Amino acid sequence: MNEGFAEKAAAAGCEVIGQRRLCSLTTFKVGGECGGVVAPRSAGSCAALVRLLNEYGEDYFVIGKGSNIIADDRGIKRLIVLIGEEMSDISLLPGGEGIVCGAGASVIAASVFAQKQALTGFEFAYGIPGTVGGAVFMNAGAYGGEIKDIILYADAVDRESGEIRRFSPGEMGLSYRHSVFMEEERYIIVSAAFALGKGDSAAIKAQMDDIMQRRRDKQPLDYPSAGSTFKRPEGSYASLLIDQCGLKGFTVGGAQVSEKHCGFVINKGGATFDDIIGLMKSVRETVIEKTGYILDPEPVILTDRTDTGL
Ligand SMILES: Cc1cc2nc3c(=O)[nH]c(=O)nc-3n(C[C@H](O)[C@H](O)[C@H](O)COP(=O)(O)OP(=O)(O)OC[C@H]3O[C@@H](n4cnc5c(N)ncnc54)[C@H](O)[C@@H]3O)c2cc1C
């Protein structure tokens, strides 16, 4: 990272973290070096950082908790803008019928905050190990709910102008694991507000505990992963198709189709980027050949390579 740039980023209210390996920033625990890490401490410092990045012509990638990313262990040249704990405030909306969260707040913390305020609607997301920004970016969902059902607005920095813009739900184009934010890398989400209903705190907690238990029972949470490896294809389920094709436990190097849940590829230990991508390619080919269904990867593949074949 350029020294002059680092000084100006710090002056703009960002924490300049410097070099970190991507394996320490992602839940799959795979990934090499990057061009350095900078974490804004507020929406304003994020906007100032964007203007600075544009001035210096620096290319960058945004990371929250890295729970939906498969990062290349050859590393990437780009800088990482980390939207994390520095931007994780959660508060009640005026009137108390919802909450507003910094994009770096964890989804789990947002669910717990809502429950403590006896607000219902966020229970479905309890256990999703990402940030609010990451959840809005991909319209995260689980157990019959999705971000789309509760979002009121999101504020995002326009990477071209460095200005903050407010998006209404209609402007976000939210559908299954999709948003306008995914279509072009143009916005950094800095906060989001959610409309929630009045409920009973104990009943909300009971539902959240039930959801967490279902996750623990079904998902391979003891191993690093990026969650569901493939999106649900129209008319079926990725995990069902993978299981039907006899791929449970299928292994390439340190990467494995989880024996507990075929929808997850896990890092059994020492998995490389090539192991994971190679395994995903084989799974995809076998599923197309045997069932005709095409599986599209759900996680973002973070690499400087021009083509991974996925
Ligand atoms: C064990 C496990 C279980 C999971 N269960 C679920 C589940 O039930 N439902 C579900 O939907 N997902 C699930 N996931 C996937 C993941 O947790 C979600 O996709 C989550 O929303 C990603 O948030 P993140 O902060 O980790 O994003 P990251 O992985 O850091 O980033 C993912 C993408 O979002 C972009 N992004 C992140 N933050 C911002 C921001 N502030 N502004 C703009 N772009 C941003 C990144 O650039 C990247 O393209 C699971 C993952 C794991 C490991």
Side-chain angles (χ1 to χ4, degrees):
M1 193 184 316
N2 178 305
E3 217 171 274
F5 168 82
E7 267 174 33
K8 284 189 184 170
C14 297
E15 193 181 337
V16 179
I17 296 172
Q19 188 48 249
R20 291 267 300 274
R21 289 180 70 79
L22 293 165
C23 56
S24 70
L25 298 173
T26 57
T27 57
F28 227 139
K29 304 286 173 227
V30 175
E33 297 201 339
C34 62
V37 182
V38 188
R41 291 198 186 89
S42 66
S45 66
C46 185
L49 175 66
V50 163
R51 292 193 289 269
L52 205 56
L53 288 159
N54 290 346
E55 186 189 318
Y56 276 77
E58 287 276 5
D59 201 1
Y60 58 99
F61 184 83
V62 179
I63 287 191
K65 287 206 179 282
S67 64
N68 206 31
I69 290 175
I70 303 172
D72 196 337
D73 37 28
R74 286 189 200 164
I76 60 163
K77 290 203 185 81
R78 281 166 283 175
L79 274 176
I80 296 294
V81 172
L82 185 67
I83 305 293
E85 276 166 23
E86 294 76 9
M87 288 179 62
S88 61
D89 284 355
I90 306 174
S91 56
L92 273 179
L93 277 172
E97 299 267 306
I99 61 173
V100 59
C101 308
S106 90
V107 168
I108 294 174
S111 310
V112 170
F113 182 92
Q115 179 266 324
K116 294 213 161 116
Q117 302 295 328
L119 289 171
T120 180
F122 225 118
E123 298 87 322
F124 75 89
Y126 189 53
I128 296 179
T131 59
V132 165
V136 173
F137 178 85
M138 56 93 78
N139 185 29
Y143 300 99
E146 45 185 353
I147 290 293
K148 171 175 167 283
D149 304 333
I150 54 171
I151 193 142
L152 200 55
Y153 64 80
D155 288 342
V157 176
D158 183 338
R159 293 173 59 155
E160 285 176 13
S161 66
E163 300 295 328
I164 299 174
R165 173 180 159 189
R166 178 157 294 182
F167 287 76
S168 68
E171 289 171 322
M172 285 183 252
L174 301 171
S175 58
Y176 174 67
R177 304 297 177 267
H178 184 79
S179 74
V180 294
F181 305 116
M182 292 169 83
E183 280 166 25
E184 40 174 345
E185 281 185 17
R186 178 156 173 195
Y187 297 99
I188 304 180
I189 301 156
V190 288
S191 66
F194 302 94
L196 304 170
K198 278 275 161 215
D200 174 69
S201 196
I204 295 167
K205 178 153 191 325
Q207 198 186 342
M208 284 163 57
D209 289 345
D210 176 55
I211 283 174
M212 190 59 96
Q213 194 53 51
R214 281 152 75 185
R215 279 185 184 275
R216 285 198 195 103
D217 291 345
K218 291 217 172 108
Q219 299 182 359
L221 302 182
D222 295 342
Y223 290 98
S225 79
S228 299
T229 313
F230 295 101
K231 290 184 190 171
R232 195 175 62 217
E234 191 85 34
S236 190
Y237 292 93
S239 58
L240 186 78
L241 295 167
I242 294 167
D243 200 5
Q244 280 172 354
C245 289
L247 292 166
K248 185 181 278 188
F250 175 60
T251 301
V252 174
Q256 186 185 64
V257 173
S258 164
E259 291 176 338
K260 193 169 179 185
H261 190 315
C262 285
F264 284 60
V265 171
I266 55 171
N267 182 350
K268 278 285 269 187
T272 64
F273 179 77
D274 287 336
D275 292 343
I276 298 165
I277 300 297
L279 181 140
M280 287 171 70
K281 274 197 228 166
S282 297
V283 167
R284 199 176 137 101
E285 278 160 22
T286 306
V287 170
I288 294 177
E289 199 183 293
K290 293 198 176 173
T291 72
Y293 279 96
I294 298 169
L295 297 182
D296 290 323
E298 184 172 302
V300 174
I301 296 168
L302 179 54
T303 178
D304 283 347
R305 300 184 206 188
T306 44
D307 186 17
T308 61
L310 265 175

